[in-house]
Amino acid sequence: MRANADTPHDSRVARDFGAEGIGLCRTEHMFFDGDRIDAVREMILADNEEGRRKALAKVKPYQKEDFLGLFTAMEGLPVTIRLLDPPLHEFIPHTDEEIERVSKASGISADHLKAKATELFEFNPMLGHRGCRLGLTFPEIYEMQVYAIFEAACELVKQGKVVKPEVMIPLVGSYKELEILKDMTNEVAAEVIAKYGVKLDYLVGTMIELPRAALTANEIAEHAQFFSFGTNDLTQTTLGVSRDDAGKFLPIYVEKGIYKEDPFVSIDVSGVGQLVEMGVSKGRSIRADLKTGICGEHGGDPESIAFCQKAGLNYVSCSPFRVPVARLAAAHAALKQ
Amino acid sequence: MSTKWVYFFGKGRTEGDGKNKNLLGGKGAGLAEMTSIGIPVPPGFTITTEACVQYYKDNKSYPVGLWDQVIAALTELETAMGKKFGDVNNPLLVSVRSGARVSMPGMMDTVLNLGLTDESVKGLEKSSGNARFAYDSYRRFIQMFSDVVLGIGHHQFEHILKDMKNARGVKEDTELNADDLKGLVIKYKALVVEEIGKEFPQDPKEQLRYAIDAVFDSWNNQRAKTYRKINKMSDDWGTAVNVQSMVFGNMGDDCGTGVAFTRNPSTGDKEFFGEYLVNAQGEDVVAGIRTPEPIAKLKTAMPEVFAQLEEVYKKLENHYKDVQDIEFTIEKGTLYMLQTRTGKRTARAAVKIAFDMVAEGLIDKKTAVLRVAPEQVDQLLHPMIDTSVKYDVIAKGLPASPGAAVGKVVFTAEEAESWAAQGEKVILVRAETSPEDIGGMHAAQGILTATGGMTSHAAVVARGMGKCCVAGCGAVRINDVQKFFTAGAPPLKRVTS
């Protein structure tokens, strides 16, 4: 039983409720807090790698601080950290009013902000420039995050603490994406661990949130030590339904019995569930000890949890306040099996 | 061999398996099980859920053999009771009730006192020696049968009843005498002719067949469908029909009817908990016309009956190893059980009962874990609206994150934060929230959004925070310039000081 938590406070709440680890830490939430959003915007607005690296150097101490807090709160328990996932335009202002405000606060010209917003515009952000695609096109972003993770972890190990970081690469569709980013992660990790002169066990794994990832899970498992099924996006991409636009038709679908229930609330067992089962069995055919879990909203839904038990997942992860509900649901699922 | 559609129970003999709720329905299984463990249950028979399913498959006609089996079971019932259906000396009367595999309280139809006609009512008068009782039963039957089977609204009969009470200058039904009730029967029957252009059916078997149809049909009435949808129950299960010999709680002051739980369903305390009414029939308790007495009073009012009831409820709880919700009727000092089912309880009670039952050695720990539904845990973790207080509902939205919250209305995250910093409790009202509102959401007691669904930003974040959130509340119109919102009612303004 794990929790989705991005802050030390949420982690402690989850731990008090009985969570045995963090199944999903979304690093993007850390980008919004206080002063760091300015440095993040500076990075996004930079025209070249050098400019980005300069801005990222300002973000890194904040990230490291976040991870120190998170690892400390979850000492002794595994913490899965997802590298940056959302498209970059989510971090910059869009409306004239917001642009005005940010321009005043940051000293960046409104025209520059507007031009960048136009440049980053996407017709379909959910399927756009996000997830590991960011890590592959702007390697310096993920690199900064991985340095921050391992520096924080090694620092705590030096203090005698037990830290179990798990680095998670989002939106992988091909094993090659994962291979490149896994190698980068291992190189950075080796460098930092050597620098600190400590011993640190860690895992590198991936989200399974695209149908192609589930279908080629055997290839992906060659490079992943764990799979975390991101069933929010896996549901969107399998059903071809945009969650944010579904409000207009999904309730009617449920009413007409096309779906028994909202598939974003309770997992679509025969469709999405089949991909999860396939992912687990193909993955384990290559790596018998592959750790598998779920970190979508479904991780807190009792019916979906029963499915996860049946599918042989190792853990479910949900928001901290769902943890007691999910624990009991997991117990029911195990007892009824 | 043709399918068995009908299962008899009574006088220590049960054809059905009391564990088979899927076939017999919850009520039918309970009646069979109680009969088989020697608890006093009025004899009767259960028509299976499969018969109902087949009825719908065959375009609302009875499957082969069903009616013959009903008639055979009826004959057996007559023998068991020593009474005859429609008899002019000692008539058999029956109740006809629904009973799906999972209880759907109040969603489907029931008919009591079936078998009364212009002839058999005289028989009931003779056998009971009580004319008032006989005609009261008849007028109740006409009213209920007409409502459920013939589709003539309850209120139309209530009008006639009220006129009668006014004419006699009395307040309570119980103050009407036998002649008044005879007069009511005539007026009720006249209303039936006026409404459907036919006489009220005078053949008891025809009445029975109509009533069975009505119960089958009530499986698909709108409120039953809605109930199943909310509770995620399948439309394909069908309902069983229980036909049971009537016992009467309304034959005098040594009679009564009641509902009880073997433990307190609200707190979980180990105390016999319930209510009863003297000289009343089942629907009087539900209708709320008279205020029932607490069950403890029965101990002094009818000590022998209470002792028997105590023995029965303990036997039932030990047998089912769970809290039972029971219905009983007392006829002339004799106790009859009409229903037993698993008692619904609050989350708090569920936890206490599970713990207590382990300590008592009634269940093991694994069973105890299964006795608390995961969804119930929510109830224990969030503030709740006090259900005993009545509130004006101004608008409804999606239950994005559970709980209850009280605070002053603010329209921006900044306001929420600055007000909260000054120690104010606030509720953040937005069209929809965005990641930049996180701080304000954190500072607020609760969040209300006009758009967005169960997985909108506001919903996801609020659940993460364990904070109450109503999302997609379409009736809410926000004017964030003038700082107010409307929801049908007068505008709710932000307090500006």
Side-chain angles (χ1 to χ4, degrees):
Chain A
M1 185 63 237
R2 296 194 186 186
N4 300 346
D6 313 332
T7 65
H9 172 262
D10 286 358
S11 309
R12 275 191 294 271
V13 170
R15 196 171 184 159
D16 287 346
F17 277 138
E20 299 157 307
I22 300 291
L24 174 64
C25 165
R26 305 176 181 88
T27 49
E28 58 270 23
H29 285 183
M30 298 168 169
F31 279 28
F32 271 107
D33 263 14
D35 301 337
R36 58 190 81 178
I37 185 69
D38 291 337
V40 170
R41 283 177 179 147
E42 188 186 325
M43 181 268 289
I44 294 168
L45 293 168
D47 296 323
N48 52 40
E49 188 185 328
E50 195 194 333
R52 280 193 296 274
R53 283 193 183 275
K54 219 177 97 197
L56 283 166
K58 292 184 199 167
V59 181
K60 197 179 112 185
Y62 290 118
Q63 285 261 286
K64 189 173 155 188
E65 197 66 30
D66 292 328
F67 295 135
L68 280 169
L70 211 57
F71 290 143
T72 306
M74 295 306 286
E75 203 202 326
L77 299 176
V79 176
T80 305
I81 295 164
R82 180 176 74 186
L83 302 184
L84 192 68
D85 187 44
L88 295 180
H89 53 75
E90 279 202 9
F91 299 96
I92 58 168
H94 291 272
T95 65
D96 288 348
E97 198 189 342
E98 281 173 336
I99 288 175
E100 190 72 21
R101 194 160 50 85
V102 169
S103 168
K104 268 192 194 140
S106 63
I108 304 164
S109 81
D111 284 349
H112 192 176
L113 281 167
K114 246 180 237 174
K116 199 71 188 181
T118 311
E119 183 192 324
L120 291 177
F121 171 81
E122 290 180 317
F123 285 101
N124 229 329
M126 195 256 292
L127 302 175
H129 194 178
R130 54 167 286 217
C132 66
R133 298 163 195 173
L134 287 173
L136 289 160
T137 46
F138 304 120
E140 55 279 6
I141 298 178
Y142 274 19
E143 246 178 66
M144 179 279 289
Q145 292 196 295
V146 174
Y147 272 109
I149 291 167
F150 284 96
E151 284 176 16
C154 289
E155 216 159 274
L156 291 171
V157 172
K158 262 221 140 116
Q159 294 167 22
K161 298 199 163 117
V162 180
V163 185
K164 297 180 172 174
E166 301 182 346
V167 178
M168 181 154 79
I169 314 291
L171 210 75
V172 163
S174 153
Y175 75 92
K176 284 196 174 154
E177 294 169 310
L178 181 63
E179 185 178 22
I180 295 167
L181 293 166
K182 175 206 70 175
D183 288 346
M184 180 278 290
T185 303
N186 284 336
E187 275 163 34
V188 171
E191 179 195 324
V192 175
I193 289 168
K195 194 176 115 199
Y196 279 82
V198 295
K199 194 182 167 312
L200 174 70
D201 288 328
Y202 67 93
L203 301 179
V204 182
T206 183
M207 303 268 289
I208 303 289
E209 50 191 335
L210 296 176
R212 192 179 194 285
L215 295 166
T216 60
N218 50 328
E219 293 172 359
I220 291 174
E222 302 265 7
H223 305 279
Q225 290 164 294
F226 67 88
F227 284 175
S228 179
F229 291 89
T231 50
N232 293 348
D233 276 344
L234 190 58
T235 300
Q236 295 201 88
T237 51
T238 302
L239 272 55
V241 170
S242 154
R243 190 172 73 168
D244 297 326
D245 301 312
K248 295 184 190 104
F249 58 89
L250 208 47
I252 296 158
Y253 267 51
V254 174
E255 204 161 292
K256 288 190 188 292
I258 297 168
Y259 293 124
K260 212 177 102 219
E261 241 188 291
D262 181 341
F264 292 104
V265 172
S266 201
I267 197 164
D268 158 39
V269 172
S270 51
V272 176
Q274 198 182 135
L275 285 173
V276 172
E277 282 169 341
M278 180 189 290
V280 172
S281 69
K282 285 196 160 200
R284 291 212 174 121
S285 72
I286 296 300
R287 196 187 285 263
D289 64 345
L290 182 78
K291 188 148 73 164
T292 56
I294 184 173
C295 64
E297 287 276 306
H298 299 114
D301 169 62
E303 275 180 51
S304 309
I305 291 170
F307 164 78
C308 293
Q309 171 77 21
K310 216 179 98 239
L313 298 191
N314 297 100
Y315 67 87
V316 296
S317 188
C318 61
S319 66
F321 285 90
R322 292 295 289 177
V323 168
V325 178
R327 275 177 73 195
L328 188 54
H332 278 212
L335 287 172
K336 284 177 183 166
Q337 205 177 30
Chain B
M1 201 191 93
S2 73
T3 316
K4 186 164 175 60
W5 306 111
V6 176
Y7 290 81
F8 187 82
F9 59 86
K11 307 266 156 161
R13 190 177 90 84
T14 39
E15 292 182 333
D17 173 5
K19 310 276 183 295
N20 198 344
K21 287 188 190 177
N22 292 358
L23 184 67
L24 301 176
K27 189 189 286 275
L31 291 169
E33 192 74 357
M34 283 197 290
T35 303
S36 67
I37 61 171
I39 282 172
V41 171
F45 54 88
T46 302
I47 301 169
T48 64
T49 56
E50 284 176 0
C52 178
V53 171
Q54 196 61 42
Y55 170 81
Y56 278 107
K57 272 190 196 154
D58 295 348
N59 222 351
K60 294 198 181 184
S61 62
Y62 281 8
V64 176
L66 173 59
W67 185 245
D68 292 342
Q69 291 180 30
V70 167
I71 295 301
L74 192 63
T75 306
E76 192 173 356
L77 188 57
E78 287 177 330
T79 311
M81 300 301 293
K83 297 179 180 183
K84 284 235 176 276
F85 215 31
D87 197 60
V88 288
N89 290 307
N90 188 16
L92 171 69
L93 303 188
V94 296
S95 64
V96 181
R97 296 177 215 252
S98 62
R101 63 167 78 171
V102 176
S103 156
M104 297 166 61
M107 293 303 125
M108 291 182 293
D109 291 328
T110 293
V111 180
L112 303 179
N113 301 331
L114 189 136
L116 280 173
T117 61
D118 292 351
E119 289 304 307
S120 68
V121 71
K122 292 175 197 157
L124 185 62
E125 182 181 347
K126 274 184 221 163
S127 66
S128 65
N130 186 337
R132 193 195 173 281
F133 161 73
Y135 284 91
D136 189 42
S137 300
Y138 195 22
R139 71 100 193 157
R140 283 168 188 264
F141 170 55
I142 296 171
Q143 188 166 350
M144 209 169 198
F145 188 90
S146 300
D147 181 33
V148 169
V149 178
L150 307 176
I152 307 170
H154 199 66
H155 61 276
Q156 304 197 49
F157 294 97
E158 288 295 318
H159 269 300
I160 299 175
L161 179 61
K162 213 171 159 192
D163 290 347
M164 178 64 88
K165 284 195 281 190
N166 288 341
R168 291 287 171 273
V170 299
K171 272 187 172 169
E172 301 283 333
D173 300 5
T174 47
E175 295 172 85
L176 295 174
N177 64 30
D179 285 334
D180 297 336
L181 294 163
K182 271 184 195 172
L184 268 183
V185 165
I186 292 166
K187 289 196 165 112
Y188 277 13
K189 283 173 59 194
L191 175 65
V192 170
V193 174
E194 198 179 302
E195 286 289 324
I196 64 166
K198 275 196 293 190
E199 285 289 335
F200 187 81
Q202 291 294 322
D203 173 1
K205 284 179 184 164
E206 190 189 349
Q207 291 174 356
L208 180 60
R209 183 152 183 155
Y210 277 137
I212 293 167
D213 288 351
V215 173
F216 279 166
D217 290 343
S218 70
W219 172 254
N220 271 341
N221 70 30
Q222 199 48 52
R223 62 179 193 273
K225 280 193 200 167
T226 308
Y227 183 90
R228 288 199 293 272
K229 199 167 163 192
I230 294 169
N231 292 281
K232 295 183 192 169
M233 293 161 60
S234 167
D235 287 335
D236 304 332
W237 292 345
T239 180
V241 184
N242 297 288
V243 179
Q244 192 175 21
S245 50
M246 286 292 302
V247 285
F248 296 95
N250 56 340
M251 285 173 85
D253 287 342
D254 56 351
C255 302
T257 186
V259 179
F261 286 81
T262 57
R263 299 186 191 211
N264 187 316
S266 174
T267 62
D269 288 341
K270 195 177 178 185
E271 58 180 1
F272 192 39
F273 178 94
E275 296 174 326
Y276 78 105
L277 270 175
V278 170
N279 197 10
Q281 226 170 20
E283 78 266 24
D284 297 336
V285 182
V286 186
I289 305 163
R290 289 161 58 194
T291 311
E293 303 281 357
I295 199 84
K297 263 200 141 176
L298 187 65
K299 197 171 186 172
T300 45
M302 303 183 200
E304 295 87 28
V305 172
F306 188 80
Q308 206 189 344
L309 186 59
E310 243 181 340
E311 195 187 312
V312 165
Y313 95 72
K314 284 177 183 163
K315 193 172 182 179
L316 281 172
E317 196 181 89
N318 279 322
H319 180 75
Y320 285 102
K321 301 189 191 308
D322 200 354
V323 174
Q324 296 299 298
D325 167 356
I326 57 177
E327 279 180 39
F328 61 90
T329 285
I330 304 155
E331 182 183 294
K332 293 193 175 295
T334 306
L335 177 72
Y336 294 97
M337 302 307 296
L338 299 184
Q339 170 150 303
T340 190
R341 60 186 175 199
T342 308
K344 289 202 192 318
R345 64 208 81 173
T346 63
R348 200 176 129 204
V351 172
K352 177 160 171 54
I353 291 165
F355 263 86
D356 287 351
M357 286 191 167
V358 171
E360 290 162 24
L362 212 52
I363 56 175
D364 62 15
K365 286 187 177 178
K366 283 181 181 174
T367 309
V369 168
L370 293 170
R371 286 286 167 82
V372 183
E375 293 81 358
Q376 284 184 313
V377 176
D378 260 347
Q379 272 188 39
L380 298 169
L381 295 173
H382 300 277
M384 306 284 286
I385 283 178
D386 183 347
T387 49
S388 65
V389 180
K390 247 188 115 59
Y391 296 90
D392 292 331
V393 176
I394 61 163
K396 289 183 178 183
L398 298 169
S401 181
V406 176
K408 292 180 179 172
V409 170
V410 293
F411 294 97
T412 66
E414 290 80 19
E415 273 178 333
E417 284 185 87
S418 64
W419 286 41
Q422 292 162 33
E424 290 281 5
K425 288 185 170 180
V426 299
I427 291 181
L428 180 60
V429 181
R430 305 274 290 151
E432 165 61 312
T433 61
S434 68
E436 301 199 344
D437 293 331
I438 298 263
M441 295 172 75
H442 190 71
Q445 302 296 309
I447 297 130
L448 170 66
T449 67
T451 60
M454 292 290 288
T455 49
S456 62
H457 177 266
V460 172
V461 173
R463 279 199 290 277
M465 291 177 173
K467 208 156 269 205
C468 174
C469 173
V470 176
C473 187
V476 167
R477 297 267 179 279
I478 299 171
N479 184 329
D480 48 11
V481 180
Q482 291 175 29
K483 303 289 180 195
F484 69 87
F485 78 86
T486 57
L492 290 166
K493 287 188 177 147
R494 188 195 70 166
V495 184
T496 42
S497 62

